[in-house]
């Protein structure tokens, strides 16, 4: 019997939802998606609950209607400055009897006791622990044990290193209450609210890349979030308080135009790296009493490149100083709306001095509309994949789907299809 899993990404600029069916073999099929401009958000934080509730409701309802399926619960994310992380180590005797040095077989109960020991860290009272992610297991001083190798092995003492992620209680509660007020529940399990970059990693980073060491950089509107993964687990997560909105603001300030006009120019003609058409000109629409203005493509690129380079250098500095990783043998994976800006791969390669940079796109999970495979939908799609084995289920009731021309449904999706053809 199949179940329905819903991923909801509440971002600074857009709210995105993915509805998927998961069968008994955990095979995923995307059946509905939706995207709406955000309201009531600032730098990834809900600042106007009423406005956020309205757009959450509209987005999920549109996704429901697109597939004719009614849902009751969703998985969602939290990120930005309201999230912090640390690495912690704990250990216990394998024999549950205190003081015993008798070697015994390690069981799941032993592993759980070790993890509980690692989580015994004092956090600020305004923080909530949302993730405890084991990184490595150490048995009697010998490490590199995988979970599947650990159970059944013999030893006297088991130690575990964990990545602990906390979130602001206030920000967390606003997210949960906004979804509830919109008429839905947050899934009642440990991953009901996930770290944004952790969710995105499920849809974009391959297993071998996780083992070799990789970096996921989410180029969001309000913030730029980063997660370093090594030996299959996160070792560092952080957020840079500058995002793609900063790039738009720079264009607006330099050219003296409204923010909305600057955003349109950035999306339609912008680039983070010099392109072949840099001699072309861009027409800036008239503002107030000023006539239209022409600007060379290369000058627009220079404005964008300066800010994107600054953001990427801040991310690199944060990783180098804090991740305690000497070498990354995997990939740098870019997700979020900023990953769709032309030239962002070349800029990232230049800053990090590596050619191993790619866009974070999901595999093909069917569906009439494949725009969920874009970097913008990486987080919402990752929420589905991270929780496909969850016991939390939605009702499978049907919702009436209005008649709609298929061409109309896909008119704004051509960009993503053409975009994906470049890489697949």
């Amino acid at each position: 019997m199949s179940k329905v899993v819903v991923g909801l990404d509440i971002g600074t600029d857009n709210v995105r939802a993915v509805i998927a069916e998961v069968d008994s073999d955990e095979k995923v099929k995307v059946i509905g998606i939706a995207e709406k401009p955000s309201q009531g958000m600032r730098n990834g934080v809900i600042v106007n609950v009423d406005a956020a509730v309205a757009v959450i409701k509209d987005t999920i309802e549109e996704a429901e209607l697109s597939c004719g399926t009614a849902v009751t619960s969703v998985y969602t994310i939290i990120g930005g400055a309201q999230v912090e992380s640390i690495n912690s180590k704990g250990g216990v005797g394998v024999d549950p009897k205190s003081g015993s040095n008798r070697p015994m077989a390690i069981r799941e109960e032993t592993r759980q006791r070790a993890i509980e020991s690692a989580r015994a860290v004092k956090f600020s009272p305004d923080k909530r622990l949302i993730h405890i992610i084991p990184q490595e297991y150490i048995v009697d001083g010998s490490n590199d044990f995988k979970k599947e190798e650990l159970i059944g092995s013999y030893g006297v003492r088991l130690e575990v290193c964990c990545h602990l992620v906390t979130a602001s209680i206030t920000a967390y509660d606003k997210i949960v209450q906004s979804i509830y007020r919109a008429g839905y529940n947050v899934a009642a399990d440990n991953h009901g609210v996930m770290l944004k970059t952790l969710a995105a990693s499920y849809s974009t980073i391959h297993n071998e890349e996780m083992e070799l060491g990789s970096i996921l950089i989410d180029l969001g509107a309000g913030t730029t979030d980063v997660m370093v993964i090594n030996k299959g687990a996160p070792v560092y997560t952080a957020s840079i308080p500058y995002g793609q909105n900063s790039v738009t603001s720079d264009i607006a300030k330099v050219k003296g135009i409204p923010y909305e006009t600057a955003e349109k120019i950035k999306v339609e003609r912008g680039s983070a790296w010099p392109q072949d058409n840099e001699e072309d000109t861009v027409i800036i629409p008239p503002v107030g009493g000023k006539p239209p203005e022409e600007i060379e493509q290369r000058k627009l690129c220079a404005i964008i490149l300066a800010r994107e380079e600054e953001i990427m250098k801040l991310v690199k500095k944060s990783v180098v100083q804090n991740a305690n990783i000497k070498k990354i043998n995997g990939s740098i994976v870019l997700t979020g709306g900023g990953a769709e800006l032309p030239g962002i791969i070349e800029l990232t390669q230049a800053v990090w001095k590596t050619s191993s940079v790619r866009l974070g796109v999901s595999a093909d999970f069917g569906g009439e509309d494949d725009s969920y495979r874009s970097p913008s939908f990486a987080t919402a799609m990752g929420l589905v994949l991270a929780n496909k084995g969850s016991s939390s289920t939605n009702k499978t009731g049907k919702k009436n789907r209005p008649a709609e021309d298929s061409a109309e449904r896909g008119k704004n999706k051509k960009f993503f299809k053409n975009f994906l053809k470049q890489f697949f």
Side-chain angles (χ1 to χ4, degrees):
M1 181 178 178
S2 63
K3 60 184 178 182
V4 173
V5 179
V6 184
L8 178 68
D9 176 7
I10 307 172
T12 300
D13 268 11
N14 292 278
V15 176
R16 301 178 178 93
V18 173
I19 301 178
E21 284 184 343
V22 182
D23 65 18
S24 57
D25 295 325
E26 296 189 4
K27 184 178 179 180
V28 174
K29 179 183 179 181
V30 173
I31 58 175
I33 69 170
E35 179 179 14
K36 295 280 188 181
S38 293
Q39 299 290 332
M41 299 289 296
R42 185 182 301 135
N43 296 336
V45 180
I46 295 175
V47 294
N48 185 321
V49 173
D50 290 340
V53 167
V55 71
I56 289 169
K57 181 179 175 65
D58 288 347
T59 305
I60 299 177
E61 285 186 346
E62 182 175 306
E64 288 177 316
L65 289 171
S66 73
C67 60
T69 299
V71 302
T72 56
S73 65
V74 304
Y75 291 90
T76 192
I77 55 96
I78 190 168
Q82 59 266 32
V83 174
E84 296 178 355
S85 68
I86 63 169
N87 294 319
S88 177
K89 185 175 182 180
V92 296
V94 177
D95 188 340
K97 294 181 180 180
S98 178
S100 173
N101 289 323
R102 180 178 55 160
M104 293 182 64
I106 296 174
R107 305 183 185 280
E108 177 61 22
E109 175 273 335
T110 318
R111 191 180 78 90
Q112 291 298 330
R113 285 194 291 116
I115 291 174
E116 285 298 312
S117 174
R119 71 175 289 173
V121 177
K122 288 186 178 181
F123 297 108
S124 171
D126 63 341
K127 297 292 182 181
R128 176 190 181 112
L129 183 63
I130 61 171
H131 291 300
I132 309 169
I133 308 170
Q135 296 168 324
E136 63 175 344
Y137 299 98
I138 303 167
V139 180
D140 296 342
S142 299
N143 57 4
D144 291 333
F145 276 83
K146 301 295 182 184
K147 178 183 176 182
E148 56 272 18
E149 302 169 334
L150 181 69
I151 307 302
S153 61
Y154 271 72
V156 173
R157 182 171 176 80
L158 171 63
E159 296 174 292
V160 60
C161 298
C162 292
H163 190 64
L164 309 183
V165 182
T166 64
S168 159
I169 291 176
T170 301
Y172 184 100
D173 288 347
K174 279 186 179 180
I175 292 170
V176 174
Q177 289 302 315
S178 295
I179 292 172
Y180 178 76
R181 285 181 52 186
Y184 302 89
N185 294 315
V186 173
D189 59 30
N190 291 335
H191 286 170
V193 180
M194 289 187 69
L195 174 67
K196 182 179 184 180
T197 45
L198 179 63
S201 72
Y202 277 86
S203 65
T204 61
I205 301 185
H206 309 305
N207 289 336
E208 59 270 23
E209 290 178 317
M210 291 189 176
E211 289 296 326
L212 291 170
S214 294
I215 303 172
L216 186 144
I217 303 174
D218 184 271
L219 299 165
T223 62
T224 302
D225 294 355
V226 58
M227 181 171 69
V228 181
I229 302 174
N230 192 41
K231 296 182 180 179
V235 296
Y236 177 64
T237 55
S239 180
I240 307 301
Y242 301 100
Q244 299 306 296
N245 287 351
S246 299
V247 179
T248 304
S249 294
D250 287 351
I251 298 172
K253 291 176 182 177
V254 171
K255 301 310 299 178
I257 57 178
Y259 180 92
E260 292 74 15
T261 303
E263 177 69 14
K264 188 173 187 292
I265 291 172
K266 183 187 76 173
V267 171
E268 294 180 355
R269 302 298 301 277
S271 173
W273 197 252
Q275 304 291 306
D276 293 337
N277 62 345
E278 63 178 1
E279 297 304 321
D280 291 353
T281 58
V282 177
I283 304 298
I284 297 177
V287 178
K290 296 195 306 182
E293 178 187 353
E294 284 191 357
I295 177 176
E296 294 177 355
Q297 185 88 25
R298 63 182 180 85
K299 290 184 178 180
L300 175 63
C301 173
I303 298 171
I304 296 172
L305 189 154
R307 177 65 78 169
E308 295 286 10
E309 184 178 34
E310 178 191 23
I311 292 172
M312 196 59 68
K313 284 182 176 179
L314 287 172
V315 173
K316 183 178 181 181
K317 180 180 179 181
S318 178
V319 170
V320 170
Q321 291 181 345
N322 300 288
N324 196 28
I325 295 293
K326 294 182 179 179
K327 188 176 182 182
I328 296 293
N329 294 314
S331 302
I332 296 176
V333 180
L334 306 178
T335 64
E340 293 167 12
L341 182 67
I344 196 66
I345 289 180
E346 291 86 345
L347 181 142
T348 306
Q349 290 172 332
V351 171
W352 289 85
K353 295 179 172 57
T354 178
S355 61
S356 299
V357 179
R358 66 175 180 83
L359 298 177
V361 294
S362 171
D364 188 351
F365 292 99
E368 295 180 7
D369 185 346
D370 65 356
S371 59
Y372 64 85
R373 299 190 64 199
S374 72
S376 295
F377 270 89
T379 299
M381 191 65 224
L383 284 166
V384 170
L385 298 177
N387 296 287
K388 63 181 181 179
S390 170
S391 59
S392 294
T393 58
N394 279 284
K395 294 179 181 179
T396 54
K398 294 297 180 181
K399 198 165 224 182
N400 292 332
R401 181 175 183 173
E404 185 177 33
D405 190 309
S406 60
E408 178 68 18
R409 288 198 305 271
K411 70 178 182 178
N412 291 324
K413 311 302 179 183
K414 291 181 180 179
F415 166 79
F416 296 115
K417 291 181 180 179
N418 294 333
F419 164 78
L420 289 167
K421 286 178 182 178
Q422 299 178 46
F423 300 95
F424 294 91

